[in-house]
Amino acid sequence: FNYRLKWNISFGKMIHKFKLLFFLILSFRICAQKIPIIIDADTANEVDDLFALSGAISEPNFDIIGITSSQFNTSPLATSNTALESKKISDEILELAKMTSIPSILGSSKPIDNVTKVKNSQASKFIIQSAKLYSKENPLHIVILGSCTNNATAIINAPEIINNIMVFYLGFLQDKETNTYYKYEYNC
């Protein structure tokens, strides 16, 4: 395994996530209102989410509605409940930052394998409930730093929320057999 390649990919992903958050800040400074955000992160997977989460919770222009934990079961090194691992790390970050008033919600521990049998997790229920409080004119922003499982589950089970949310996602393709990334994929 080439650690330099992994560092370059992780650093590159971290830069992309900071650009995404910066774009949100810049776009809402014009309107001079706080940006309502749910951050869906697999913080136990790689260090980039830790940096993005730390930056986001300290950003005064963000109104962090909640942090949901996502799974990363595509990695051959993953345990059976990566969402729980991510939640625990998110909880630690919130505690260290003295921001425990921000809800931290457990997401699905498994990816969606059949769209006709999708069960809501605590995180997808939270996304649905939160999104119903917003509108097309004043949307809830969802920043996905890991898998799309929680958000996809929320949309599948409550499609009426689509007009109330604005989703920001950066992802990549990973070969789970070799644990390598496709470096020419759009988001890498």
Side-chain angles (χ1 to χ4, degrees):
F1 186 80
N2 185 337
Y3 289 101
R4 179 175 285 161
L5 175 63
K6 182 157 176 75
W7 166 253
N8 287 340
I9 290 171
S10 292
F11 186 72
K13 283 176 39 186
M14 180 174 59
I15 296 299
H16 286 301
K17 289 178 183 180
F18 279 128
K19 286 180 186 176
L20 178 67
L21 292 172
F22 178 75
F23 169 76
L24 278 172
I25 293 167
L26 186 62
S27 65
F28 267 79
R29 284 205 177 197
I30 297 167
C31 300
Q33 71 181 43
K34 284 191 164 202
I35 306 166
I37 297 176
I38 290 176
I39 299 173
D40 190 57
D42 57 350
T43 49
N45 190 14
E46 295 175 334
V47 72
D48 57 335
D49 289 19
L50 300 172
F51 284 110
L53 189 57
S54 297
I57 63 175
S58 63
E59 172 53 51
N61 292 304
F62 289 170
D63 179 15
I64 308 293
I65 305 302
I67 297 169
T68 55
S69 59
S70 61
Q71 55 79 23
F72 54 95
N73 288 345
T74 58
S75 170
L77 305 174
T79 63
S80 62
N81 197 341
T82 56
L84 180 59
E85 292 172 22
S86 291
K87 182 187 181 324
K88 288 177 181 178
I89 292 174
S90 295
D91 291 347
E92 287 181 40
I93 290 172
L94 291 171
E95 191 172 318
L96 287 169
K98 297 180 176 31
M99 304 285 281
T100 55
S101 62
I102 297 173
S104 172
I105 301 95
L106 181 63
S108 175
S109 62
K110 303 273 185 236
I112 296 171
D113 59 358
N114 183 339
V115 294
T116 61
K117 297 179 182 178
V118 177
K119 290 173 53 179
N120 272 329
S121 64
Q122 293 172 23
S124 59
K125 288 177 189 174
F126 180 78
I127 292 168
I128 292 167
Q129 291 168 349
S130 299
K132 288 180 177 180
L133 301 174
Y134 292 86
S135 66
K136 185 175 185 174
E137 296 75 28
N138 181 30
L140 171 63
H141 297 78
I142 302 174
V143 177
I144 302 173
L145 305 177
S147 68
C148 292
T149 306
N150 296 322
N151 196 60
T153 301
I155 291 171
I156 290 167
N157 288 328
E160 67 274 11
I161 69 169
I162 291 173
N163 289 329
N164 298 4
I165 61 175
M166 187 177 292
V167 177
F168 298 86
Y169 171 69
L170 285 172
F172 62 91
L173 295 175
Q174 178 183 17
D175 182 328
K176 53 184 184 175
E177 301 299 319
T178 61
N179 196 29
T180 58
Y181 303 102
Y182 179 57
K183 67 180 180 178
Y184 299 110
E185 196 264 334
Y186 175 74
N187 291 301
C188 284

